[in-house]
């Protein structure tokens, strides 16, 4: 880790830690094995950043639950959003709150391409 920090490498994956974490999760709850297989293999569902305009019109006021429902119609699972002017929000606590979705906003979804 120290070498990664010193070298300022941003695209390095610490695979041993990921494998250890996955094994620990499956050991705690065997049902997670299917979910992890789906997300971590080259086939099946993956995490995507989709344009908010795929779920709502720009400058339209909607809650996260509304966007979530539209994602479900497309057989996707909405995890959060990335506002054009801010930081990624996963599992927002204020899902009922109305917000204005701008053209640069992204929606974080689990989907099959």
């Amino acid at each position: 880790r120290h070498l990664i920090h010193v070298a300022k490498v941003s695209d390095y994956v610490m695979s041993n830690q990921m494998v250890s974490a996955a094994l620990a999760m499956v050991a705690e709850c065997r049902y997670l094995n299917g979910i992890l297989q789906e997300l971590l293999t080259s086939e099946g569902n993956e995490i995507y950043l989709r344009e908010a305009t795929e779920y709502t019109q720009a400058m339209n006021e909607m809650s996260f639950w509304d966007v979530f429902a539209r994602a479900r119609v497309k057989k996707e699972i909405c995890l959060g959003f990335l506002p054009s002017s801010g930081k990624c929000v996963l599992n927002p606590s204020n899902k009922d709150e109305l917000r204005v979705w701008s053209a640069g906003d992204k929606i974080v979804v689990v989907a099959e391409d």
Side-chain angles (χ1 to χ4, degrees):
R1 285 185 185 183
H2 177 68
L3 183 58
I4 294 169
H5 179 70
V6 171
K8 297 185 177 166
V9 176
S10 63
D11 59 350
Y12 179 78
V13 176
M14 297 187 75
S15 61
N16 288 341
Q17 281 187 328
M18 289 180 64
V19 170
S20 298
L23 286 172
M25 285 192 297
V26 172
E28 289 286 322
C29 180
R30 67 183 179 134
Y31 302 110
L32 288 176
N33 187 39
I35 295 168
L36 291 174
Q37 278 186 322
E38 184 69 27
L39 292 175
L40 299 177
T41 60
S42 60
E43 300 295 321
N45 289 289
E46 299 172 357
I47 297 175
Y48 292 98
L49 281 176
R50 306 262 200 231
E51 295 293 330
T53 52
E54 290 186 35
Y55 307 92
T56 181
Q57 295 177 353
M59 305 312 289
N60 195 8
E61 193 174 58
M62 292 177 68
S63 72
F64 178 78
W65 280 129
D66 295 328
V67 173
F68 185 91
R70 290 186 179 188
R72 290 289 296 149
V73 169
K74 297 171 71 170
K75 297 185 178 181
E76 299 175 348
I77 301 170
C78 187
L79 302 176
F81 59 92
L82 176 63
S84 58
S85 62
K87 210 171 151 179
C88 186
V89 178
L90 295 177
N91 191 23
S93 58
N94 52 350
K95 294 175 182 69
D96 291 327
E97 183 178 298
L98 295 176
R99 69 180 303 272
V100 176
W101 299 89
S102 68
D105 291 346
K106 307 273 192 228
I107 306 298
V108 183
V109 297
V110 174
E112 196 165 2
D113 198 21

